[in-house]
Amino acid sequence: MSAVAACLIALALAPAAPAADRIFWTNISASASVASANLDGSGAGANLNTAGATSGNFRGVAIDVARNRLFWTSFQGKVSFANLDGTGGAQDLNIAGAVVSNPTGLAVDPVAGLVYWTDPGNNTIGFARADNTGGGGNLTITGTATLASPIGIAVDPVAGKIYWANPTPDNKISVANLDGSGSIDLNVSGATAPDNPQGVALDLVAQRIYWTSVYGQKISYTRLDNTGGGGDVTTAAGTVANPSGLAVDAEAGRVYWGNVGNSTLGYARLDNSGGGAVSTSGATANGVAWPALLKTPAAAGAPAIGGGSVAPATLTCSRGAWATDLLASFLFRAPGTFAFRWSRDGADVPGATGATLTATQAGTYRCTDVASNPAGSASQTSAAHVVAPAAVPPVTPPSAPVLSRLAIAPTAFRAADRGASAVAPTPASRGARVTLTLDVAASVGYRVTQRRSGRRTSAGRCAAPTRGNRGRPRCARVVTLAGAFTRAGAAGANVFRFTGRLGGRKLAPGSYRLVATPRALGLAGTSRSVAFRILAPPRSR
């Protein structure tokens, strides 16, 4: 197949398709193209449709999921873009206002609506609007940083920073504020000195910046706080052959790079336990460089149902929380579109695809928020919302609900890194299995308490320690932590998994009690509690 024919093949990534986390790269050979492959090695996609844009000498890539676009630079003085789904052809970005020579590295800030690039041909960092309306310019870099033929670039909009690599002969890794002020060259002590560094990418979890050394054949890093403490990545089976461009997936514990020297994609584990190669079988791989990761949306908090509890009731489903792009890591996963589904008593409600539903029948309702981007779709489902029959008035039970058994296993576990406080008891979910028995269907409220030290006041109360009461006798007090949660319980045995998270955060290592209080039709039953312990996370090697 000719290079022209390859460029005309659309990249099929319809949101309805099965989820497929992907890696994109540019082939910087004479037959320049943008290619992709599945990260799990299960296959490769066709080349991105770049017809309509200036061809040849492709370099850096970045993704704007919300706009369904992939941007790339061309050493011929252009920044171009195309739709990720292959529709509509490609075109060159309007960069009017910027002085452009040989744009190379590329970064995108979708929230600010800006695309940034390095230009080694005129020693500048340029920018333009991502919506193709122009408004371009060049950053005025002030401070002490080197700005000499900059190549790699990464943007951290949250911290308001922009990073770049200065290749041989300067061999510096530099940073400035996004307005160009306060620039410095980073302290890279501890790592092998940069030797023609090009790609840069950040690991914001470990607070590191990684770079490729084309001549040194290494992947190295240093701390973002400019205190040094750098090092080199143990690549082992991950080939390093004139590496150019980087992408970091901190959650998966990997760093990826393109090998111009042998047209492969390498990766290494961030814990320095070695690496390997990403399969590019079926994809164009000729001068592989500048990788970027596109992953399916990642759930960060389930939706919730609000509304009435007696039929007919108007129910509203809030949108769940979803993880954002890690722009400085070249990892893109933000949702582009959303949809809703509703179920009653476990069966889908036909035609219910909006955020609002009129519940005309009694039952247990749940809503599902479906988020999609060009890599695929993911979903998360709300807790149950019970709607009672309209014709039957509420019946007050003769007595409060009884919670006859409460247990947790294991009693010591590590808290989950993300997600809600309580999830379905699947084998893959982290946390402890909580079981309880109710005599009737009831809403069960859960809170977490912890014993802490205190000082006995003159009134006999155990109060929190202060400077003023430090001479008083010691005592122990029970503190209820913020972040209580509620789950609907059925008559009989119930089970769920407690993740060790409360109020959207992980509990710190220590000892606690989980207290459960059943409530039905306004009556609260006797609380029960069980002890548990949160373990510290394992030490990194």
Side-chain angles (χ1 to χ4, degrees), residues 2 84 93 98 108 129 171 218 295 380 403 412 471 482 530 535:
S2 70
L84 280 163
L93 185 69
V108 64
R129 295 193 58 80
N171 292 320
K218 290 185 179 296
K295 305 189 75 174
Q380 47 186 337
L403 196 164
V530 288
L535 302 176

Side-chain angles (χ1 to χ4, degrees), residues 450-476:
Q450 187 177 42
R451 292 179 64 85
R452 296 182 181 174
S453 62
R455 295 290 184 176
R456 186 71 65 186
T457 67
S458 57
R461 186 171 59 88
C462 188
T466 65
R467 182 182 295 274
N469 65 16
R470 60 186 175 184
R472 301 293 303 173
R474 299 180 184 273
C475 58

Side-chain angles (χ1 to χ4, degrees), residues 47 177 264 276 280 290 313 330 403 416 445 451 468 476 498:
N47 290 352
N177 295 321
T264 62
T280 59
W290 304 102
F330 291 89
L403 196 164
R451 292 179 64 85
F498 175 52

Side-chain angles (χ1 to χ4, degrees), residues 10 91 93 125 163 166 182 190 332 340 481 529:
Q91 58 183 301
L93 185 69
I125 296 174
Y163 300 81
N166 301 282
F332 306 91
F340 292 97
L481 306 185
S529 68

Side-chain angles (χ1 to χ4, degrees), residues 30-126:
S31 55
S33 60
V34 180
S36 69
N38 291 346
L39 277 175
D40 62 6
S42 61
N47 290 352
L48 189 70
N49 181 8
T50 60
T54 300
S55 62
N57 294 307
F58 292 174
R59 292 296 189 270
V61 295
I63 297 171
D64 184 343
V65 178
R67 292 181 174 85
N68 185 34
R69 287 179 177 176
L70 183 144
F71 293 86
W72 68 91
T73 55
S74 169
F75 211 61
Q76 293 177 314
K78 299 293 183 181
V79 178
S80 307
F81 65 91
N83 290 339
L84 280 163
D85 60 11
T87 62
Q91 58 183 301
D92 295 330
L93 185 69
N94 181 352
I95 54 178
V99 177
V100 181
S101 178
N102 304 115
T104 304
L106 187 68
V108 64
D109 180 356
V111 176
L114 294 176
V115 176
Y116 295 87
W117 64 86
T118 54
D119 197 325
N122 58 22
N123 296 327
T124 62
I125 296 174

Side-chain angles (χ1 to χ4, degrees), residues 22 29 42 86 110 127 161 172 244 257 339 361 377 383 397 399 457 522 535:
R22 302 182 70 78
S29 62
S42 61
F127 62 88
K161 299 291 185 181
K172 300 290 185 182
S244 183
W257 64 90
Q361 302 179 63
S377 301
S399 61
T457 67
L535 302 176

